[in-house]
Amino acid sequence: MPQFPIDRYLLPEKPVEVPDGFTEVRQSLTAGLPHRVELGAGVHAVLILPTGLARQWLHTDPLAVVSTSADDLASRPAPPAAPPPPALVGRVPLRLVVRQGTRILGSVPLAAGLRRVCPDAGPAVATGAAPIAVEVVVLGWLLHAGTVRGSGDYGSSIALAWRRADHAVDQFGPPPINEFVWRRRPPAQRVESELGPGRLRYRYLLDKKLRRVLR
């Protein structure tokens, strides 16, 4: 059975592996934030933490964990019977800003296993020289408060994988099935998934000979 269309958007159940064709990059964060990660092909990523709360970090234990990918990979307990009271978001907004020279290609939030193509095909990058498109995968990270405060070896690190994403593929799937044919199949043989209003819609037929995806 083919891979479910939204698998790449779900949290992984095990440590994130480097996909085929990607180059792995692992670095220690000893120079503080922002931290620059060279990806190659003239493209780099900058790890930033936009909090605006300098005094908070001055009074925090430098070895205190600020953010880690282990939280994304940990198993979730069963939800409580009664919903908890509303609270402020406790996750810090760590982001990777992907750049080609001084041009910003995109912004990638840190989430274990997240894959993001930068830049996306939008009007903001349609003018001027064509930028290099890269796909970035967040493998893992560990950030301590001392790294947020300044330079020093506090055990913080980040792991990424990347590849060029501006080359054509040499493998092609079957053509999409006609929408009217899909509707005529029995409901038990149809699977449909819609990723929000105005987003991509995927439709599968469970018959192996007629399995197609309709976008």
Side-chain angles (χ1 to χ4, degrees):
M1 186 172 181
Q3 185 182 26
F4 196 64
I6 63 171
D7 272 352
R8 62 186 302 171
Y9 300 104
L10 303 179
L11 292 178
E13 297 180 353
K14 57 184 179 179
V16 184
E17 298 180 354
V18 180
D20 294 338
F22 283 75
T23 301
E24 184 179 0
V25 179
R26 293 182 178 271
Q27 290 187 359
S28 297
L29 309 179
T30 57
L33 296 182
H35 178 82
R36 176 168 171 154
V37 181
E38 294 293 341
L39 300 180
V43 178
H44 65 274
V46 180
L47 178 64
I48 62 173
L49 176 58
T51 64
L53 303 174
R55 181 171 297 181
Q56 169 186 338
W57 305 113
L58 294 177
H59 300 285
T60 303
D61 181 359
L63 296 181
V65 176
V66 176
S67 179
T68 174
S69 56
D71 293 339
D72 286 352
L73 302 174
S75 58
R76 297 291 190 266
L88 295 177
V89 176
R91 181 162 179 156
V92 295
L94 272 173
R95 305 190 72 84
L96 283 168
V97 178
V98 182
R99 305 198 306 179
Q100 177 186 356
T102 58
R103 176 189 300 203
I104 296 178
L105 301 181
S107 178
V108 182
L110 255 64
L114 177 65
R115 295 175 62 164
R116 180 69 56 87
V117 176
C118 301
D120 56 4
V125 297
T127 59
I132 296 177
V134 297
E135 185 174 9
V136 179
V137 181
V138 180
L139 300 178
W141 72 92
L142 175 61
L143 180 65
H144 291 94
T147 304
V148 180
R149 192 162 57 189
S151 59
D153 189 359
Y154 300 100
S156 302
S157 62
I158 187 171
L160 308 171
W162 75 280
R163 70 173 178 178
R164 291 281 295 267
D166 53 357
H167 299 289
V169 299
D170 57 0
Q171 297 180 355
F172 303 92
I177 189 171
N178 186 282
E179 180 178 0
F180 299 100
V181 175
W182 183 87
R183 291 177 179 176
R184 293 174 60 184
R185 303 294 293 183
Q189 297 182 7
R190 299 181 302 188
V191 178
E192 182 176 19
S193 177
E194 185 173 350
L195 304 179
R199 305 292 296 277
L200 293 178
R201 177 180 297 171
Y202 297 88
R203 289 173 177 168
Y204 282 93
L205 289 179
L206 300 184
D207 187 339
K208 294 182 178 179
K209 296 182 179 180
L210 295 176
R211 184 182 295 130
R212 298 290 189 272
V213 58
L214 172 66
R215 300 186 180 185

